Amino acid sequence: AQIKLQLGKIYSGSGEALLSIDARNQKPAVSAKSTLNNIQVGNLLKDYMDDAFANGKGSVNFDVRSLAEASSQLTSTLKGVVGFDLLDGEIVGINIAEKLRQAEALKDGVKYTKSREVNSTDFASLSGKGTINNGKLRLTDFNMAAPLMRTKAKGTADIHNQIFDMTFDAYFVNSRTGQTGKDLSNTKSLLVPIKLKGPFNDFDLSLSGSRFVLQGQEAKIDEAKNELQQKQDAEKARLAQKKAEEERRYQEAKERAKERAKADAKKRLLEKLR
């Protein structure tokens, strides 16, 4: 059975949804496809995930399906795709600017004193896409633009077990001050991986090792990697050509030896017949 819903005003926006239930097999199949426009995403997250860890207004779309005999199995067998595009909001519980300043202090070998600014990250735009398999969302695209920084992300959000395992690559894009008025000019070129891991309601945010890269050097690093790869490929080709040449010479020498052996055998036979 299929039910098409015109949701009208929902979460201060609008949307439509198509719900399907197939009860012909032992485990009923439930699917849902929806597009929500101009909604307040914080309200949506609070209702369906018990935690509004992001706020902002924009669109959310998903096309998911699940096999379940009980409601508790709905998320464990959940599969599909999801996408979102939000404007003028914040991520609650994550202060990426704070981690960037901490990375700068670590890079310079100086002590960092944690600020008292609010534990959130404002954004001008936030968009992403992901695939869901057995209740685990894997990001295939994630871009956040803030007044001071740009951020990309990769990793997973386990919807069934409610656990994050993500890495953000963040960097500042200008030298203005942050949310507390602190000068950020020294960090504007620093690319910092930040690890987000743990339960949805009690996750940990930490610097991911010491792999800090200056923006503008990534291309040089990639160029050096490509150059090294080309040298390795050229060396492999040279060795392969040398081996082929040695094999050719060996076979030629082997054939000449055979011919000489045949000639010698023929000569000995003729001498015996005389």
Side-chain angles (χ1 to χ4, degrees):
Q2 285 190 345
I3 303 173
K4 187 173 183 179
L5 303 174
Q6 292 292 338
L7 301 178
K9 285 190 174 295
I10 181 172
Y11 300 118
S12 302
S14 62
E16 60 180 21
L18 180 63
L19 305 178
S20 300
I21 300 176
D22 186 349
R24 291 174 294 180
N25 298 317
Q26 183 177 0
K27 289 187 176 182
V30 181
S31 62
K33 185 176 183 180
S34 181
T35 299
L36 306 175
N37 299 308
N38 297 317
I39 67 165
Q40 292 291 346
V41 73
N43 297 334
L44 173 69
L45 292 173
K46 188 173 182 180
D47 282 349
Y48 289 93
M49 302 185 75
D50 297 325
D51 190 355
F53 53 80
N55 294 304
K57 191 168 186 178
S59 63
V60 176
N61 59 81
F62 56 85
D63 186 354
V64 296
R65 57 195 178 280
S66 179
L67 298 174
E69 293 178 302
S71 59
S72 60
Q73 296 177 327
L74 283 174
T75 53
S76 65
T77 59
L78 189 66
K79 296 183 178 182
V81 294
V82 63
F84 54 88
D85 194 347
L86 309 177
L87 297 174
D88 300 326
E90 66 174 348
I91 300 178
V92 181
I94 299 175
N95 190 333
I96 295 177
E98 175 84 17
K99 291 300 177 182
L100 282 168
R101 284 191 288 270
Q102 182 182 348
E104 177 68 14
L106 182 61
K107 181 177 73 71
D108 292 341
V110 299
K111 184 179 179 180
Y112 178 74
T113 302
K114 188 175 181 180
S115 68
R116 296 182 178 180
E117 64 185 88
V118 63
N119 192 28
S120 64
T121 298
D122 296 334
F123 62 79
S125 65
L126 174 64
S127 63
K129 296 177 182 178
T131 59
I132 303 173
N133 189 31
N134 293 331
K136 182 176 286 189
L137 168 66
R138 181 172 298 278
L139 291 176
T140 57
D141 183 45
F142 181 99
N143 291 281
M144 184 180 72
L148 304 173
M149 73 187 82
R150 299 291 182 266
T151 305
K152 292 182 177 294
K154 57 185 177 181
T156 62
D158 191 331
I159 299 171
H160 178 65
N161 296 305
Q162 297 195 332
I163 295 175
F164 286 121
D165 188 2
M166 297 181 179
T167 299
F168 295 89
D169 282 337
Y171 62 94
F172 284 109
V173 294
N174 60 37
S175 59
R176 291 186 297 164
T177 56
Q179 296 175 90
T180 57
K182 292 185 178 181
D183 184 21
L184 305 173
S185 58
N186 292 330
T187 58
K188 65 180 180 180
S189 62
L190 193 67
L191 177 67
V192 180
I194 302 170
K195 190 72 175 178
L196 171 66
K197 195 166 186 177
F200 285 179
N201 60 356
D202 189 26
F203 54 79
D204 180 59
L205 192 68
S206 61
L207 297 178
S208 181
S210 57
R211 183 181 61 83
F212 305 145
V213 181
L214 291 180
Q215 281 298 109
Q217 289 186 351
E218 298 98 319
K220 293 181 180 179
I221 293 173
D222 291 339
E223 183 179 350
K225 288 181 179 179
N226 291 334
E227 184 178 350
L228 178 61
Q229 186 63 51
Q230 289 174 2
K231 288 181 179 179
Q232 291 175 340
D233 292 343
E235 180 63 14
K236 287 181 181 179
R238 186 187 69 79
L239 292 175
Q241 185 177 5
K242 181 181 178 181
K243 184 177 180 180
E245 181 64 19
E246 290 175 347
E247 178 66 20
R248 183 185 65 79
R249 291 178 179 177
Y250 169 76
Q251 293 297 335
E252 288 180 351
K254 188 176 179 180
E255 288 298 322
R256 287 195 298 269
K258 284 184 180 179
E259 292 299 325
R260 284 196 300 269
K262 288 181 181 178
D264 291 343
K266 184 177 181 181
K267 183 178 180 181
R268 289 194 297 270
L269 180 59
L270 289 175
E271 288 176 350
K272 288 181 180 180
L273 292 176
R274 289 178 182 172

